[in-house]
Amino acid sequence: MGSSDLRLVPARPEHVDYWLVLRAEPGARRFVDTEDDSREGLLKRITEAGTWGEPRAKGFRWFVEHDGRLIGTVSARDLSKTHGRAQLGYMLSDAYHGRGLGTRAVGMMVEQLFTLPFLHRIWLTTLADNLASQAVARKLGFTLEGTMREHSVQLGQRCGLQFWGLLRPEWEARRHG
């Protein structure tokens, strides 16, 4: 999946050590709930991720590869055929922030997810002070749908949690617009 220098690769157990390093970076520690960060816990999340095309999959995880190096991860979880929705998550290594790679990788993930015929809506959350993550959502056409005030504690500070949504017709209009 992806252009020549950027691709998404399905998560495999051997990715776990990279994922541990990624989640220990300052950017991750600032914006991601990393309390369940045991190697065993992350390995379980990799092995529980569905295989693309598997009818009963509840979610997927891919790692982002740029010029042959792993630089981040994207995921979809709580995939619901009944409601036609999935929750998107993404994290990029600090060294690669600000170059548009996150937006491209997440865009590739959105494109892939909307190939699922039942999917109508993709949603994600960002912390209220995570401006970079909000920029990714905005650039891809997500709409800020609301903020749960002081919903999370991150590094000892209370912070708001923003909810963003993207509907299939909005995505298709952007692609063909």
Side-chain angles (χ1 to χ4, degrees):
M1 250 184 281
S3 60
S4 56
D5 64 329
L6 192 72
R7 63 191 202 109
L8 303 182
V9 294
R12 294 187 306 272
E14 56 265 32
H15 290 132
V16 71
D17 292 318
Y18 167 74
W19 199 14
L20 277 165
V21 169
L22 179 66
R23 291 174 70 90
E25 290 185 3
R29 295 229 89 65
R30 260 183 77 201
F31 297 124
V32 178
D33 178 1
T34 52
E35 73 185 321
D36 61 342
D37 260 8
S38 70
R39 191 171 195 279
E40 296 68 35
L42 293 183
L43 202 50
K44 186 170 185 272
R45 283 166 64 183
I46 287 175
T47 55
E48 284 174 354
T51 305
W52 191 255
E54 190 185 323
R56 284 196 293 278
K58 290 280 183 240
F60 307 101
R61 175 167 301 279
W62 289 285
F63 283 86
V64 182
E65 202 179 79
H66 175 63
D67 291 338
R69 299 176 68 115
L70 294 177
I71 66 163
T73 181
V74 289
S75 65
R77 40 177 223 242
D78 300 327
L79 189 64
S80 168
K81 282 191 170 163
T82 306
H83 299 289
R85 69 179 182 223
Q87 181 180 1
L88 186 65
Y90 47 91
M91 185 190 309
L92 205 62
S93 174
D94 292 352
Y96 293 90
H97 287 187
R99 293 162 52 178
L101 296 168
T103 303
R104 282 174 56 203
V106 176
M108 288 159 58
M109 177 73 161
V110 169
E111 185 69 34
Q112 183 72 14
L113 288 172
F114 276 133
T115 67
L116 297 169
F118 64 84
L119 198 68
H120 177 72
R121 170 183 166 80
I122 298 174
W123 65 283
L124 60 90
T125 63
T126 60
L127 291 178
D129 57 350
N130 189 346
L131 301 179
S133 190
Q134 293 159 33
V136 168
R138 208 172 275 113
K139 281 180 205 149
L140 292 170
F142 282 78
T143 298
L144 178 59
E145 296 177 334
T147 302
M148 293 174 73
R149 299 168 303 137
E150 298 187 10
H151 182 73
S152 302
V153 176
Q154 206 59 19
L155 299 180
Q157 299 290 308
R158 287 227 152 259
C159 47
L161 187 66
Q162 298 178 329
F163 285 77
W164 297 79
L166 178 66
L167 306 180
R168 178 188 288 276
E170 296 166 343
W171 178 252
E172 289 175 351
R174 287 174 62 88
R175 285 182 60 221
H176 303 301

